Amino acid sequence: MITICGAGAFGTALAVSLAKNGPVILWARDADHAAEMRATRQNARRLAGVDLPENITLISGPLTAGDGACLLAIPMQKLDGFLAGFGASLDNRPLVACCKGVDLATGLGPTGLIDAACPTATAAILTGPSFARDIALGLPTALTLACADEGTGKALQSALTTPNLRLYRTIDTTGAELGGALKNVIAIACGAVIGAGLGESARAALMTRGFAEMNRLARALGAQPDTLAGLAGFGDLALTCTSDQSRNYRFGLSIGQGTDFDPSVTVEGAATARAVLARATAMKIDMPITHAVTALVNGELRVDQAMDMLLSRPLKEE
Ligand SMILES: NC(=O)C1=CN([C@@H]2O[C@H](COP(=O)(O)OP(=O)(O)OC[C@H]3O[C@@H](n4cnc5c(N)ncnc54)[C@H](OP(=O)(O)O)[C@@H]3O)[C@@H](O)[C@H]2O)C=CC1
Ligand SMILES: O=C(CO)COP(=O)(O)O
């Protein structure tokens, strides 16, 4: 049976979709939250208005996952702590990261953290363009499932495909996780220019040059260009940079508009920008938009200053 750890919006949406295939266990870290969901058959805290089918079992406390795959829908900066606490009960099975980002403390992506904490598990990642609510409402969605072990990848692709969730497969975990991590950084930049009233043309430029810098880092780290051109990279960049359903984009909007943003909302791109900039600087890879976003989220530059910085760079070939 499939277990999903993390009863946030994404974990809950995946549970609802996977429940079309068979029974699912959804683990919440907070016992009261699990009890609330059992009583109401809804996740009012994270994905209000969506009914939870009866074949989703809601648990909390010690992890009693069976032998099947376990999906980790935990925010990136919390994944390491989660694995330190629960990794020992998740050995010898596929562990599918369902988070997007780079860990600030270690510079690792989700599969790297899984490999380090659970050496007997097989790490995989599920990523690509999808808003939790769309998946939960049964709207059509296509994602990338990346696993370095081809046999496990094929088994996961088949087990995690549902009537509304079509999975494409790759062995390129590096490309898949970098695509999902880096698009959030560019989405913050896009939100900021739209929020500051700098126009759609500026957004298109940021998306395009952002994609160039995503590719620059990903290739240097061994990713396949096709992965970045697919759902995990271009696909998710297109969705996240253009929709105000995206929290990263909305966070950028608030920076551009100079308004407050609820700090309890999950915004993966802010910490990821800092982590990626540190890595890129050490590798001497030019990532000007990530640099500008890091300065914005650190409060070191205003949007107009960040844009001046980008526009005044030396002219170059495309
Ligand atoms: N929402 C979406 O549309 C999509 C999200 N994702 C990715 O999914 C990941 C999770 O995001 P999402 O579900 O939206 O986030 P939410 O903010 O909706 O929920 C986060 C969940 O993580 C739990 N959590 C927080 N800290 C810990 C911890 N230390 N140990 C265990 N659980 C913890 C929270 O528990 P509690 O409620 O108790 O705080 C909550 O259930 C992110 O990386 C995101 O990029 C990917 C695609 C789509
Ligand atoms: O990853 C997502 C869409 O694919 C969700 O984006 P946000 O985390 O910005 O809401």
Side-chain angles (χ1 to χ4, degrees):
M1 194 188 312
I2 289 167
T3 301
I4 301 174
C5 296
F10 198 41
T12 305
L14 289 170
V16 169
S17 191
L18 287 165
K20 293 174 184 161
N21 292 352
V24 178
I25 295 171
L26 179 60
W27 176 90
R29 68 166 167 169
D30 176 13
D32 289 344
H33 189 197
E36 211 174 278
M37 290 188 285
R38 269 196 301 274
T40 62
R41 300 311 298 178
Q42 292 221 348
N43 182 353
R45 295 190 193 185
R46 298 285 180 177
L47 196 64
V50 171
D51 290 332
L52 304 179
E54 287 303 324
N55 62 349
I56 298 178
T57 303
L58 295 143
I59 64 166
S60 61
L63 257 176
T64 48
D67 293 337
C70 190
L71 276 54
L72 308 180
I74 311 277
M76 184 68 218
Q77 305 307 322
K78 311 285 180 167
L79 182 61
D80 205 21
F82 169 83
L83 289 168
F86 295 96
S89 41
L90 295 173
D91 52 0
N92 287 308
R93 80 193 64 226
L95 292 184
V96 186
C98 301
C99 48
K100 297 178 180 174
V102 175
D103 180 53
L104 198 44
T106 61
L108 294 172
T111 61
L113 288 185
I114 291 171
D115 286 339
C118 306
T120 62
T122 306
I125 179 158
L126 181 62
T127 187
S130 64
F131 288 124
R133 187 164 294 280
D134 292 348
I135 292 181
L137 293 178
L139 301 178
T141 314
L143 296 181
T144 298
L145 184 282
C147 181
D149 181 285
E150 199 165 11
T152 307
K154 282 183 179 166
L156 286 170
Q157 180 183 30
S158 137
L160 302 179
T161 289
T162 76
N164 72 306
L165 189 56
R166 177 176 167 80
L167 301 194
Y168 290 79
R169 180 173 43 81
T170 177
I171 56 168
D172 180 16
T173 52
T174 304
E177 63 186 18
L178 282 172
L182 297 171
K183 64 86 188 176
N184 280 335
V185 178
I186 309 303
I188 293 175
C190 290
V193 300
I194 296 297
L198 300 182
E200 300 282 351
S201 304
R203 172 175 31 200
L206 282 173
M207 288 175 66
T208 312
R209 296 310 304 163
F211 189 54
E213 92 180 36
M214 287 167 65
N215 270 289
R216 208 175 298 137
L217 180 71
R219 283 185 202 202
L221 292 172
Q224 298 298 316
D226 281 356
T227 315
L228 271 290
L231 293 161
F234 175 76
D236 214 353
L237 182 74
L239 180 71
T240 315
C241 293
T242 59
S243 170
D244 57 15
Q245 276 196 72
S246 159
R247 298 162 297 188
N248 286 280
Y249 179 75
R250 287 204 308 273
F251 176 58
L253 278 179
S254 76
I255 293 175
Q257 291 163 344
T259 53
D260 290 338
F261 192 81
D262 177 355
S264 70
V265 173
T266 301
V267 177
E268 298 285 35
T272 291
R274 297 181 183 115
V276 167
L277 185 63
R279 185 86 187 260
T281 305
M283 294 172 72
K284 297 193 179 358
I285 294 171
D286 193 23
M287 298 193 73
I289 300 172
T290 302
H291 191 164
V293 169
T294 305
L296 282 179
V297 302
N298 287 344
E300 294 157 1
L301 283 183
R302 295 188 313 267
V303 178
D304 59 323
Q305 292 170 320
M307 194 44 97
D308 283 348
M309 185 180 97
L310 291 172
L311 288 173
S312 62
R313 285 162 40 81
L315 298 175
K316 55 189 274 202
E317 282 190 337
E318 192 171 24

